[in-house]
Amino acid sequence: AKKLGRDNFCFYTEEMGLFVRKRIQIEADLPDAISQNQLLLNYQPKVSCLTNEVVGFEVLLRWLHPEFGLIPPGDFIPVVESSGLIVDVGEWVLTEVARQLVEWRKAGYELLPVAVNISGFHLHDESLSLFIKALAHQYQLNPSLLEVEITENALTGDTDSSIATMTELKKLGIKLSVDDFGTGYSSLSYLKKFPIDVLKIDRSFINECAYNPDDAAICMAIISLAKSLGLKIVAEGVESLEQLEFIQQQGCDIYQGYLYSRPLPASDVEVLLKRP
Ligand code: C2E
Ligand code: CA
Ligand code: CA
Ligand code: CA
């Protein structure tokens, strides 16, 4: 057992060293990732709980790194969040979505809104609403085709600047969602302060909602809170019919998850779009 312990320890430190090296390299490589087209976007359908029709998409970022392969956002977004690069990443995502929407429009498809994940650091930056406004003008898109998802934790800190940005986004007709609702460290009072349209129930509550009474109770409470505040409710990470039936019964509006579809490359999204 001793030997095993030592081996485990060695393994652990090597892993940590790799982790630290990778972290440093990720930060150093990111500027190139943007200029060398290594970032790519997947689109996950958002589906109506009532009609089972696709009503929009959430765009999810990936990085095809020349050495590390496909890196999920959870591995590099936190590394770049505190650097100015997160604004560059956010602007790249927004621009790429606008370009894609125009491409779909040219191909004759009816456009559906696309939700973009915006980091809290970017939300505190007053350039965000100006950037989106200019982008929409440049691509001749209605800004309401873009939606913004912000994690609950991003709503802590300097609330004045985030309220200012959110108010500007609302003026453009952009819907705002609170992401990972119920997992953050903020008090519920922000629901009164921020001009929010949607709560997204975190996947961790949906996971066992069909048979764990605690998770079921949390989902029911979030849905009823959203309804009494006049907010729409989205369930994320729906993987089974049991989960879907449960949230449907509770009056959830929209769902996303592997049950309907994994996040897809843009080319695979077209079969889900309609031509009027
Ligand atoms: P999120 O916004 O909560 O996104 C949902 C995550 O759950 C995505 O992981 C998605 O692929 C995954 N997912 C969707 N349906 C299912 C399901 O049925 N089962 C399971 N097990 N997972 C499901 P992903 O793409 O790895 O993204 C992780 C997080 O990274 C996102 O969490 C979001 O907070 C962040 N992120 C993604 N793209 C961006 C971006 O462009 N900018 C920023 N700032 N953050 C991003
Ligand atoms: Ca999200
Ligand atoms: Ca989420
Ligand atoms: Ca989540």
Side-chain angles (χ1 to χ4, degrees):
K2 220 178 192 176
K3 189 173 180 293
L4 186 74
R6 210 162 37 229
D7 284 353
N8 278 346
F9 184 72
C10 277
F11 177 70
Y12 182 69
T13 47
E14 267 170 32
E15 282 287 294
M16 288 306 284
L18 183 70
F19 179 75
V20 171
R21 271 207 307 283
K22 199 168 159 181
R23 222 188 131 98
I24 292 168
Q25 200 175 336
I26 280 174
E27 204 166 353
D29 289 352
L30 192 73
D32 287 347
I34 298 181
S35 63
Q36 295 182 8
N37 283 320
Q38 292 166 6
L39 298 181
L40 42 110
L41 296 179
N42 280 351
Y43 294 77
Q44 186 173 44
K46 296 193 174 198
V47 186
S48 161
C49 286
L50 273 182
T51 64
N52 220 41
E53 273 182 326
V54 177
V55 293
F57 299 92
E58 174 178 7
V59 76
L60 295 154
L61 185 60
R62 278 96 186 80
W63 179 0
L64 193 54
H65 190 281
E67 187 183 335
F68 301 129
L70 203 63
I71 312 182
D75 285 3
F76 66 94
I77 294 288
V79 178
V80 293
E81 264 199 320
S82 46
S83 74
L85 283 175
I86 194 66
V87 173
D88 296 284
V89 171
E91 291 182 349
W92 182 86
V93 172
L94 287 162
T95 308
E96 177 59 19
V97 168
R99 193 201 57 72
Q100 186 62 62
L101 284 168
V102 167
E103 204 177 301
W104 283 330
R105 182 173 60 194
K106 275 190 199 144
Y109 294 110
E110 196 177 301
L111 298 184
L112 295 172
V114 176
V116 175
N117 292 284
I118 292 292
S119 157
F121 295 89
H122 199 173
L123 190 72
H124 290 285
D125 195 309
E126 60 182 17
S127 70
L128 178 64
S129 59
L130 294 173
F131 183 86
I132 293 181
K133 196 174 175 183
L135 188 72
H137 185 255
Q138 186 193 341
Y139 285 87
Q140 289 298 298
L141 286 168
N142 189 334
S144 65
L145 283 167
L146 295 172
E147 297 181 355
V148 167
E149 298 191 3
I150 306 144
T151 61
E152 193 177 17
N153 277 332
L155 296 175
T156 57
D158 178 6
T159 49
D160 285 350
S161 70
S162 29
I163 291 176
T165 307
M166 291 168 97
T167 308
E168 289 304 312
L169 294 174
K170 291 295 303 172
K171 280 190 204 156
L172 296 174
I174 292 175
K175 288 210 180 87
L176 304 173
S177 303
V178 177
D179 214 342
D180 301 346
F181 184 78
T183 64
Y185 301 106
S186 46
S187 81
L188 286 176
S189 65
Y190 73 82
L191 292 175
K192 290 195 298 187
K193 285 191 285 196
F194 294 107
I196 293 159
D197 304 283
V198 179
L199 296 186
K200 291 190 79 174
I201 310 179
D202 191 63
R203 189 171 79 223
S204 58
F205 302 123
I206 299 298
N207 205 12
E208 298 187 357
C209 70
Y211 52 90
N212 179 324
D214 291 341
D215 287 320
I218 291 171
C219 289
M220 287 159 76
I222 294 176
I223 292 170
S224 110
L225 175 70
K227 291 211 175 283
S228 40
L229 291 169
L231 306 173
K232 290 275 179 230
I233 188 97
V234 176
E236 66 172 29
V238 174
E239 294 181 354
S240 72
L241 268 177
E242 290 75 17
Q243 292 165 346
L244 177 61
E245 276 162 14
F246 174 81
I247 59 162
Q248 276 173 331
Q249 279 158 13
Q250 300 308 320
C252 183
D253 300 297
I254 290 167
Y255 74 97
Q256 290 174 248
Y258 296 169
L259 176 66
Y260 191 88
S261 170
R262 288 183 176 258
L264 303 166
S267 52
D268 291 351
V269 166
E270 286 169 14
V271 295
L272 298 170
L273 299 173
K274 287 183 190 156
R275 284 202 169 92

